[in-house]
Amino acid sequence: MKIKKLIKIIGKGFLLLICLVIVVGFTYEQISRYKTKEFVEERIGSFIDVGGHQLYYEKKGAGNVTVIFESGAPGDHRAWDDLSDKISEYSTTMSYDRAGLLWSERGSNTKTPNNISADLETILTNEGFKKPYVVVGHSAAGIYLRPFIEKHQDDILGVILIDPSHPDQLMKAPEELKEYMQPPFFPPEWLVSFLNEVGFVRLLSGDPLIYRGIKSGGVYGEIEFLMNETSKSSPSSKSWKVPLVVISAGAQDSFGISDEVLKNEMQEYWDGLQTEISQLSENGKRIIAEKSGHNMLDSEEKLITEEIIKIIKSHHNTQIE
């Protein structure tokens, strides 16, 4: 009897502790969200209706070439702040938040490359961004941007993909590597939302604004799409006639592999995917950033900037000293 009573007391104490943690976490999250109002005052961009929902974008600089920045998943325009500042000295730049991320409304469209590309096209057309375009994308943008690039090849000076994702990267992966290329546990959306409301996601990510994309469903929608899309065979993309530069990570440390044999196998597999992407264009080339991992927008800022400027210079009406 004493043991049962003790177990009951411990159980009640544990439940009380969980309730306390939830209350504290919820309070912490609400206070933190209130404090993020300061970020609204710092916004320099604009909103545009793309068919029932508003997207946020930022335009910088001026010129007869527009450099488009597309973030990886579930990134937003902030990833390009430094690069867009530098490139805006030579041309117009446009970075934005995809549907449901940061300041953009989620809307009702599913997360697919076709819908994302349609949103991007609407921003560029309706807001009068000048052609030709230079398209720059990181990570999952290598999947998201394909329909836009294929449709607008006559309007594109060049494409730069930074350690891009491949549509078949999970499907083609050897069995021993698949576990390193996908989350070991993909929680249901209700659990992600709950963890978001009690401050767990904020603590885990360190991003004071990511709660917005989770609350809208935008973050979950992107991750869910990519997990499903890369797990099945995708139709081959059409051959591109635009110049293509693929900047690949040479220090692929983002997979968390400690075993040296598997690490080398992963690097070899990833190299093969990157080479295949670079061959999408007859005028494609691959650059390996030997000392950088997947998240190289800061560490390889100089290299990326140089490659963008090279493409801008190729435009006969653009003069850059």
Side-chain angles (χ1 to χ4, degrees):
M1 290 293 293
K2 289 183 179 180
I3 295 177
K4 288 184 178 180
K5 189 175 182 179
L6 180 61
I7 292 174
K8 189 178 291 187
I9 292 173
I10 293 174
K12 287 181 178 180
F14 184 67
L15 288 174
L16 183 62
L17 178 61
I18 291 176
C19 291
L20 181 61
V21 169
I22 291 174
V23 170
V24 171
F26 179 79
T27 303
Y28 156 75
E29 179 65 24
Q30 299 312 307
I31 293 173
S32 299
R33 291 183 187 184
Y34 178 79
K35 290 181 178 179
T36 62
K37 288 183 177 180
E38 63 190 79
F39 291 101
V40 175
E41 300 173 0
E42 297 174 359
R43 290 192 312 218
I44 62 170
S46 305
F47 288 89
I48 177 175
D49 188 293
V50 295
H53 60 284
Q54 300 271 331
L55 295 188
Y56 175 83
Y57 73 92
E58 290 190 356
K59 177 181 180 181
K60 298 178 183 177
N64 55 4
V65 172
T66 299
V67 179
I68 303 161
F69 291 105
E70 184 78 58
S71 299
D76 51 65
H77 78 275
R78 293 174 296 171
W80 304 104
D81 281 347
D82 292 340
L83 273 166
S84 60
D85 283 342
K86 285 181 169 55
I87 298 302
S88 66
E89 298 175 14
Y90 309 100
S91 70
T92 303
T93 69
M94 197 286 288
S95 57
Y96 75 111
D97 301 330
R98 289 188 296 273
L101 301 183
L102 195 54
W103 307 122
S104 290
E105 294 176 345
R106 175 63 183 90
S108 59
N109 294 334
T110 55
K111 286 285 187 176
T112 65
N114 283 330
N115 287 336
I116 290 171
S117 292
D119 283 351
L120 174 58
E121 182 177 8
T122 300
I123 295 175
L124 295 169
T125 302
N126 291 5
E127 295 304 292
F129 283 94
K130 292 182 180 179
K131 301 174 183 178
Y133 307 131
V134 177
V135 182
V136 183
H138 175 233
S139 191
I143 297 175
Y144 292 150
L145 285 168
R146 290 192 179 203
F148 179 84
I149 294 169
E150 290 169 7
K151 182 179 179 180
H152 295 278
Q153 294 195 60
D154 291 339
D155 300 323
I156 295 176
L157 276 179
V159 176
I160 297 175
L161 298 179
I162 303 161
D163 214 38
S165 301
H166 190 292
D168 298 331
Q169 63 189 38
L170 285 181
M171 191 277 294
K172 289 184 175 181
E175 286 302 318
E176 64 272 19
L177 297 180
K178 284 185 178 178
E179 64 176 290
Y180 298 102
M181 300 191 69
Q182 59 184 336
F185 171 61
F186 190 49
E189 188 169 8
W190 68 264
L191 180 56
V192 175
S193 298
F194 172 75
L195 295 175
N196 189 43
E197 294 302 316
V198 296
F200 182 79
V201 174
R202 181 183 297 272
L203 287 173
L204 189 65
S205 69
D207 182 353
L209 296 173
I210 195 173
Y211 76 91
R212 295 180 60 87
I214 294 176
K215 192 175 181 65
S216 73
V219 168
Y220 192 90
E222 293 210 354
I223 294 174
E224 185 177 42
F225 164 75
L226 289 170
M227 292 302 299
N228 291 332
E229 180 72 9
T230 56
S231 297
K232 60 187 180 183
S233 180
S234 301
S236 298
S237 289
K238 301 175 184 176
S239 179
W240 300 352
K241 59 185 179 182
V242 297
L244 168 64
V245 179
V246 174
I247 302 177
S248 305
Q252 194 57 260
D253 54 3
S254 61
F255 294 105
I257 302 176
S258 56
D259 183 278
E260 287 300 320
V261 174
L262 283 179
K263 186 184 292 186
N264 291 334
E265 185 178 350
M266 175 64 82
Q267 187 64 57
E268 184 178 345
Y269 175 63
W270 192 255
D271 284 343
L273 293 175
Q274 296 290 292
T275 298
E276 187 176 322
I277 294 171
S278 70
Q279 293 171 346
L280 282 170
S281 170
E282 297 177 0
N283 188 13
K285 72 173 183 178
R286 184 173 172 227
I287 300 172
I288 300 177
E290 298 287 354
K291 297 181 179 180
S292 294
H294 181 67
N295 297 313
M296 65 172 82
L297 297 189
D298 291 331
S299 62
E300 298 296 339
E301 183 180 283
K302 184 173 182 292
L303 170 61
I304 297 167
T305 300
E306 288 174 350
E307 291 301 318
I308 295 173
I309 292 175
K310 284 179 187 177
I311 296 176
I312 296 173
K313 282 183 175 181
S314 70
H315 188 42
H316 68 279
N317 290 326
T318 301
Q319 299 296 322
I320 299 176
E321 299 297 331

